[in-house]
Amino acid sequence: MDALATTQVAGEDVHQLTPAQVADRLGVDPAAGLSTHESVERAAEHGPNRLAEPARRPEWLKFLDQFRNWLIGILLLAAVVAAAIGDLKDALVITVVLQINAVLGYLQERRAERSLEALRRMLVPTARVRRDGTEREVEASALVPGDVVLLEAGDRVPADGRLVVAESVEVAEAALTGESQPVAKSTAPTGPVPLAERTGMLYMNTALTRGRAEMVVTATGMRTELGAIAEALRTGAEPPSPLQVQLDSLGRRLALLSGVAIVAYALIALLRGEGLGDLALRAVALAVAAIPEGLPAVLALTLALGVYRMASRGAIVKRLASVESLGSATVVCSDKTGTLTLNEMTVRSLWTAGRRYDVTGEGYGVQGAVRDAMGTDRADELRDAVLPFALCNDAHLTDDGFVGDPTEAALVVLAAKTGMDADGLRAELPRTAELPFDATTKYMATFHTEPDGRTRVHVKGAVDVLLDRCTEVLTEDGVREFDAGLRDEVLAVTGQLGGAGLRVLGAATAVLDGPPDPAELPGLTLVSVAGIADPPRPQARDAMALCRSAGIAVKMITGDHAATAAAIAHELDITGEVVTGAELEAMTEEELAGRIDGIGVFARVAPEHKVTIVQALNRRGHIVAMTGDGVNDAAALRAAHIGVAMGRTGTDVAKEAADVVLTDDDFSTIVRAVREGRAIYDNIVKFVRFQLSTNVGAILTLLGASLVGLPAPLTAAQLLWINIIMDGPPAMALAVDPARDDVMRHPPRDPRERILSMRRLLAITRAGAVMALGTVGLLALARERIDTDTALTMAFTTFVLFQLFNSLCARADDGPLLGRHQLRNRTLWLCLAGVLAIQVVAVHLPWARSVFGTVPLDAAQWALCVGTASLVLVAELVVRAVRGRR
C-alpha cells in the first residue's frame, strides 16, 4: 500500500486519525523525525514539494504569439495588399521587418522569464524540520511525506500535515477556505467534516498567527489541497497591468487614427483622379506609418530592467503593477525599529562624577570614543565608571554581532570604547555569585573576588531603584555621601536623558568585608548613568531629506513609548504631532482623516491601528506605501497601495501580503525604489512621446504631400526602416535613461494622470507637424531645383534625421532641452551615431539603394537635410522659452 501518495491513509481521511495513528501509518517517530536516507528515498518517489508551473507553451508557439497582436495583423495585411498590387519589394521588406520584430519580442520575453525566475529563487521559502533526531532548516521544496515540521507564529505552512503538537495555535486559512478569522487548531481528531472544520490539520500556504506547532507532513506539492486548486488554475493568464491597458488603449486610438488618415487620403486621391494602384500603395504606407511597431518590446524592456535594477538595490518587486505605483507614492508609513533605526542598542551618553560624556559610534562595532563637552577623548579616566557595566553582564561580542541581551551588548561595546576587554576582565575577576535580573527588582548584581581577597559587588539596573540602595555617589572630588542635592542632580540627569528618548541604566558598586550574601545588598556607591538608544540608520537621515524634497510625507508608526519615538523623529526631522494608540482610538474616522496630514508619529500603536491609519490616508487621497514585518501587519500591507515587507526580519505572512520585499530592511531602500519607480515612468513617457511623434509626423507627411500633389515622400519599406531600425534603438536607449538629477525634487505625479496628457499631446502634434512641414517643404524645393529621385532621397533622409533631434526633445520632457543631463545617456548617443551611419549606408551603398529606392547625396544636400531636421529642436526651444516667460 502506498500510504504516502495521498492524504488518504488506509482508506480513512487523515484528520479522523489520532497523531499517533498517522505517524505509525507514515512510518515516522515525531520525536526523531525521518532519517536522511528515508527523506532521500521519499523525495525520489514523490518529487519536489512545489506546485506545478502554469502550462508552458512550446517555444515555436511563443514565437508565433508575436504575430497575434492585432496591430501586427494590420501590417501583415498591408504586406498582402502590397504583394497583390505588384509591389513585391515593399511586401518583402514588411515581412522581413515583422520577422525581426518577432525575434526581438521573443528574445525579450525569454529574458523577462529568466529575470522573474531569478527573483523567485531569491524568495525560496524554507522550513524547520526534525531529521535524524536534530532540528535543521531545509528548503520547503525538499519536504517529503512523513517529515516533522516545526512552526511558530508568523510561519507559512509549507505542506499539508497532521498536527502532533499544538500550543495555542491559530491559523489564517482565508487563502484556502475564505474564512476571514483565524481558526483555532488542536491535535484532537475530527469526524467526517468539511475542510474548514478540520482543526487537526494544517494546509499548505496558510499561516500561523499565534502559537507553536509540530506537524507530520501528509501530502506535498500537487497532492496538497492547494495543489488541487492550482491544477485548475494552471492554464490561467495573468491580467495586464494598468499601464499595459493604457498603452493598449493608446494603440487602438492609433489604429483609429490610421483608419481616418487612410479614408481622408482615399477621398483626396479619388478627387484628384489617382489610380487604384497608387492609392493602395499610399494606404499601405499610411497603415505602416500609424503603428509604433517597437512599442511593446520597448515597454517590456523598460519594466524588466526596472525590476532588475530594484532587485539589485535591495527591493524585490513581486507584482509588476507596483513598479508603476511606486513613482506616485505620496506617503510612506514606516516602522521605527530596524527600518528607520539600526535595531542595534547603542550607548549614546554617559554621566559620571558630575560630568556628561557623549559616546560616538553606532551599533555593535567597537569603533568610537567617549568624549567630554570639549570633544576630548576621556576613555582613560572612565574605568571605574564603566567597570560595573562590563562585569555585571552576560553578553559577548562576536565577529558578526553578539551573543546575549542587546542592551548588555551595548554596555560591552561601551567598555571596549574605553579600552576594556569585558571577557578578559571576567576571566581576571571571576564571578563568585550573582543576582539575575528580575522584572520585579529591576536590577542585576554580580559578586567578584578581588586580588586582595575582598569581595566586590557590581550592580546595574533602573536608576530610581539603585538610588534607594545607594548611600554614596562618585563625584569630581571622589566618593561622597549621597545627600539631597546630589540626589536631585542625578534625577535631573536621568530626566534629561529620558526626555531625549534614551533608556537610562545606572551602575553602582560596593566592597564586602565578609563573604557575599546575594540575599542582601550593602550600601552602594552610584558610579555612573548610561543613556542607551537604538540609533537612526545613518542613511535614513539622507532618505528623509530626499523624501521631503520629493514631496513625500513620512509617518513613523511604532509600538515604542511616545518620548522615544519623538526623539528618533526629531533626529530624522520627521515633523508633526505625536499621537498615541490610545488617542487614536478616541478619534472618529472623520477627525482622524482631518488631522492625519499634521501627524508625524504614531506611538504605542497596536497592529490593527495601522489599517485605520492607512484608511484615513486613503480618504485624504494619498497613495500610501506601508512597511511591516509581522503577521499582524498583513492587513495593513494589503490595505496600502504598496505593501513593503522586511526581508530579513519579516515573517512569511508579511512577505506574502506585500508587493515589495526589502532584502536589507532599510528605509533608504524604499526611497531608492520610489526613485526607480519615478525614473521608470519618466522613461515610458519619453519613448512613447518619441515614437508617437514619429508616427504622427509620418501620417501628416504623407497626407500633406498628397494634398499638395507631390509624390509620396516615404514608401512603406522606408517607413518600416524608420519605425523599426531608426526609431527602435533610440527608443530602447530612452528606456534605460538614467534618472534625472531632479527626479526626487518634484512632488509625486497624480496617479490619475494619463501618459498622454494634453501638454504632451500638443508636444507630439507640434513635433509631427514640424516634421511634416520640413519634409514636404524640402521635397517640393528639391524636386523643383534638382530632380525627383534626389528630392525623395532628401525627404527620406530628412525624416530620419528629424528623429535624432526629436529624441533630445522627448528625453527632456519637462526640463531643459540642452544641459548636462543630455550627455549622461551614453547608450543614446551611441544609438544616434549608429542610426546616422546606417542612414548613410541606405543612401550610398548600391544594394541598399535598390531596397529603399534612394540615390547618393552630396555634402551640401546632406547639410540641407541636417539643417531642416534641426527645426524640430529649434521649435521646441522657442516654445519652452515662450512658456518660461509666461
Side-chain angles (χ1 to χ4, degrees):
M1 178 185 68
D2 185 3
L4 304 176
T6 70
T7 56
Q8 303 290 319
V9 179
E12 297 178 275
D13 287 334
V14 178
H15 62 274
Q16 298 184 54
L17 302 177
T18 65
Q21 289 174 314
V22 173
D24 182 60
R25 303 291 176 86
L26 292 174
V28 62
D29 176 7
L34 295 175
S35 67
T36 301
H37 176 71
E38 287 173 319
S39 66
V40 171
E41 285 189 343
R42 297 188 186 194
E45 179 181 356
H46 298 284
N49 175 39
R50 64 169 65 101
L51 300 181
E53 294 287 335
R56 294 186 179 274
R57 292 175 63 78
E59 297 300 317
W60 65 274
L61 283 178
K62 289 183 180 179
F63 180 75
L64 291 181
D65 285 343
Q66 308 303 317
F67 297 94
R68 296 180 65 184
N69 186 299
W70 61 278
L71 291 177
I72 300 299
I74 294 176
L75 292 177
L76 286 172
L77 179 61
V80 172
V81 171
I85 61 176
D87 188 3
L88 296 179
K89 182 176 68 177
D90 277 357
L92 180 61
V93 170
I94 293 173
T95 303
V96 170
V97 170
L98 288 180
Q99 290 287 344
I100 294 173
N101 193 54
V103 170
L104 291 175
Y106 169 75
L107 293 177
Q108 177 54 41
E109 186 176 308
R110 287 283 305 275
R111 178 178 178 178
E113 286 180 358
R114 287 195 296 269
S115 297
L116 291 174
E117 184 58 36
L119 294 183
R120 289 192 196 102
R121 286 197 296 271
M122 294 176 73
L123 289 172
V124 170
T126 58
R128 283 191 306 126
V129 300
R130 185 177 291 131
R131 285 183 182 171
D132 297 315
T134 61
E135 292 183 13
R136 64 184 67 176
E137 190 170 276
V138 300
E139 289 188 5
S141 60
L143 292 178
V144 295
D147 258 326
V148 178
V149 179
L150 315 178
L151 299 161
E152 295 178 350
D155 290 340
R156 187 172 58 185
V157 180
D160 287 2
R162 180 66 169 89
L163 279 166
V164 294
V165 174
E167 296 181 2
S168 304
V169 173
E170 289 187 359
V171 180
E173 294 186 334
L176 189 64
T177 65
E179 174 62 48
S180 59
Q181 298 297 320
V183 178
K185 297 287 184 174
S186 70
T187 59
T190 56
V193 294
L195 183 71
E197 299 177 21
R198 297 174 186 173
T199 55
M201 297 291 297
L202 296 181
Y203 296 104
M204 175 186 274
N205 217 44
T206 59
L208 266 70
T209 59
R210 62 175 300 186
R212 185 183 73 83
E214 295 182 12
M215 76 171 193
V216 174
V217 174
T218 56
T220 58
M222 295 302 289
R223 299 183 182 91
T224 63
E225 294 291 340
L226 189 66
I229 298 173
E231 181 62 31
L233 299 175
R234 286 181 66 187
T235 57
E238 204 173 299
S241 73
L243 180 64
Q244 291 170 318
V245 171
Q246 195 175 136
L247 289 174
D248 184 62
S249 174
L250 173 65
R252 294 177 188 274
R253 290 198 296 272
L254 287 174
L256 178 62
L257 176 63
S258 172
V260 171
I262 291 173
V263 171
Y265 164 70
L267 292 175
I268 295 170
L270 291 174
L271 290 174
R272 295 179 62 242
E274 287 189 20
L276 292 179
D278 290 338
L279 191 154
L281 279 174
R282 292 236 189 175
V284 169
L286 279 169
V288 171
I291 298 172
E293 294 83 0
L295 195 58
V298 178
L299 175 63
L301 174 67
T302 303
L303 294 177
L305 286 177
V307 169
Y308 174 78
R309 282 198 298 264
M310 285 186 182
S312 66
R313 293 170 186 173
I316 299 175
V317 178
K318 293 172 56 185
R319 297 176 178 86
L320 200 59
S322 303
V323 177
E324 305 165 33
S325 303
L326 276 168
S328 57
T330 60
V331 174
V332 178
C333 295
S334 177
D335 187 24
K336 177 183 74 69
T337 304
T339 306
L340 295 175
T341 63
L342 290 170
N343 196 21
E344 296 181 0
M345 301 303 291
T346 306
V347 177
R348 309 291 295 279
S349 185
L350 180 70
W351 176 90
T352 182
R355 294 182 181 181
R356 184 167 168 180
Y357 299 84
D358 292 324
V359 184
T360 64
E362 294 173 333
Y364 302 119
V366 297
Q367 299 78 17
V370 184
R371 304 183 186 278
D372 62 17
M374 303 300 293
T376 305
D377 190 341
R378 298 293 186 182
D380 56 336
E381 303 175 0
L382 300 173
R383 176 182 172 86
D384 291 343
V386 177
L387 185 62
F389 285 137
L391 292 176
C392 186
N393 196 313
D394 291 322
H396 300 271
L397 298 183
T398 63
D399 292 338
D400 55 355
F402 69 96
V403 176
D405 178 78
T407 298
E408 290 195 334
L411 296 173
V412 173
V413 171
L414 171 66
K417 291 175 181 177
T418 59
M420 288 188 281
D421 175 12
D423 288 337
L425 287 170
R426 293 170 197 167
E428 181 183 337
L429 300 170
R431 188 180 302 180
T432 58
E434 68 176 289
L435 288 173
F437 177 82
D438 183 86
T440 303
T441 61
K442 296 184 180 180
Y443 66 79
M444 173 183 178
T446 57
F447 300 82
H448 306 262
T449 301
E450 294 200 326
D452 60 5
R454 295 187 304 173
T455 298
R456 181 174 290 274
V457 57
H458 293 292
V459 186
K460 76 172 188 300
V463 176
D464 56 341
V465 173
L466 293 187
L467 288 179
D468 293 337
R469 294 180 174 271
C470 287
T471 57
E472 297 175 324
V473 60
L474 180 64
T475 70
E476 289 181 285
D477 302 321
V479 176
R480 284 180 51 189
E481 185 178 345
F482 223 150
D483 58 27
L486 291 173
R487 182 183 182 90
D488 290 342
E489 180 183 346
V490 174
L491 290 175
V493 169
T494 57
Q496 291 171 2
L497 296 177
L502 302 178
R503 180 186 177 190
V504 182
L505 279 181
T509 187
V511 175
L512 307 181
D513 293 327
D517 182 4
E520 292 290 337
L521 283 181
L524 301 175
T525 300
L526 184 72
V527 296
S528 60
V529 174
I532 306 170
D534 178 12
R537 289 177 179 265
Q539 57 269 43
R541 298 185 181 94
D542 296 334
M544 288 295 167
L546 201 56
C547 283
R548 284 193 295 275
S549 67
I552 301 171
V554 178
K555 301 189 183 298
M556 179 195 295
I557 303 177
T558 178
D560 270 348
H561 291 281
T564 303
I568 296 296
H570 177 72
E571 287 195 56
L572 294 173
D573 287 335
I574 297 177
T575 59
E577 296 180 69
V578 179
V579 172
T580 65
E583 294 170 330
L584 192 65
E585 290 183 348
M587 297 182 197
T588 63
E589 292 181 0
E590 292 74 17
E591 183 183 359
L592 177 59
R595 290 180 56 186
I596 197 161
D597 285 337
I599 300 173
V601 178
F602 294 90
R604 302 301 285 173
V605 297
E608 57 268 21
H609 291 146
K610 290 188 176 184
V611 178
T612 304
I613 294 167
V614 170
Q615 291 171 343
L617 289 167
N618 287 342
R619 281 195 290 273
R620 294 289 294 175
H622 288 290
I623 304 299
V624 185
M626 167 68 75
T627 71
D629 57 7
V631 175
N632 292 325
D633 292 330
L637 294 175
R638 290 282 190 198
H641 295 87
I642 310 111
V644 182
M646 303 298 109
R648 291 181 178 177
T649 60
T651 60
D652 288 340
V653 175
K655 295 174 188 176
E656 196 66 22
D659 304 294
V660 178
V661 179
L662 303 185
T663 60
D664 55 7
D665 293 9
D666 188 349
F667 179 83
S668 63
T669 302
I670 303 174
V671 181
R672 288 196 298 270
V674 171
R675 185 177 189 271
E676 191 66 45
R678 289 190 176 189
I680 288 170
Y681 185 83
D682 280 354
N683 289 348
I684 290 172
V685 168
K686 290 172 189 176
F687 72 68
V688 167
R689 174 177 167 177
F690 172 70
Q691 289 209 315
L692 295 191
S693 297
T694 302
N695 294 109
V696 171
I699 291 172
L700 294 178
T701 297
L702 291 173
L703 287 177
S706 179
L707 280 171
V708 298
L710 291 172
L714 300 168
T715 65
Q718 290 172 345
L719 282 167
L720 279 172
W721 176 256
I722 292 167
N723 281 353
I724 299 297
I725 305 302
M726 296 304 187
D727 274 3
M732 288 193 174
L734 289 174
V736 297
D737 210 18
R740 292 178 290 114
D741 291 336
D742 63 346
V743 72
M744 292 296 282
R745 292 200 290 270
H746 293 284
R749 67 178 175 86
D750 187 337
R752 296 166 298 181
E753 173 190 291
R754 287 182 174 273
I755 287 181
L756 293 183
S757 62
M758 183 56 65
R759 180 173 61 80
R760 291 185 187 125
L761 281 172
L762 289 175
I764 289 170
T765 305
R766 182 171 60 247
V770 172
M771 292 179 200
L773 288 172
T775 304
V776 174
L778 184 61
L779 172 62
L781 179 66
R783 187 167 180 251
E784 179 181 337
R785 297 189 178 182
I786 310 175
D787 61 75
T788 299
D789 289 342
T790 301
L792 288 171
T793 300
M794 291 178 70
F796 171 41
T797 299
T798 299
F799 196 85
V800 168
L801 296 177
F802 264 125
Q803 310 320 308
L804 307 189
F805 291 99
N806 185 42
S807 67
L808 301 180
C809 298
R811 186 162 184 257
D813 181 53
D814 57 0
L817 278 178
L818 303 176
R820 186 168 61 90
H821 179 68
Q822 291 286 19
L823 302 176
R824 292 177 58 196
N825 192 338
R826 186 180 303 173
T827 304
L828 176 62
W829 287 103
L830 289 174
C831 286
L832 296 182
V835 165
L836 183 59
I838 294 173
Q839 183 62 20
V840 171
V841 169
V843 170
H844 289 283
L845 289 188
W847 64 266
R849 295 205 305 267
S850 65
V851 173
F852 297 108
T854 57
V855 296
L857 301 178
D858 60 30
Q861 291 163 348
W862 270 100
L864 186 58
C865 293
V866 172
T868 304
S870 68
L871 291 176
V872 71
L873 182 60
V874 173
E876 190 67 20
L877 283 169
V878 170
V879 168
R880 296 196 186 194
V882 172
R883 186 190 302 155
R885 289 181 181 179
R886 289 178 180 175

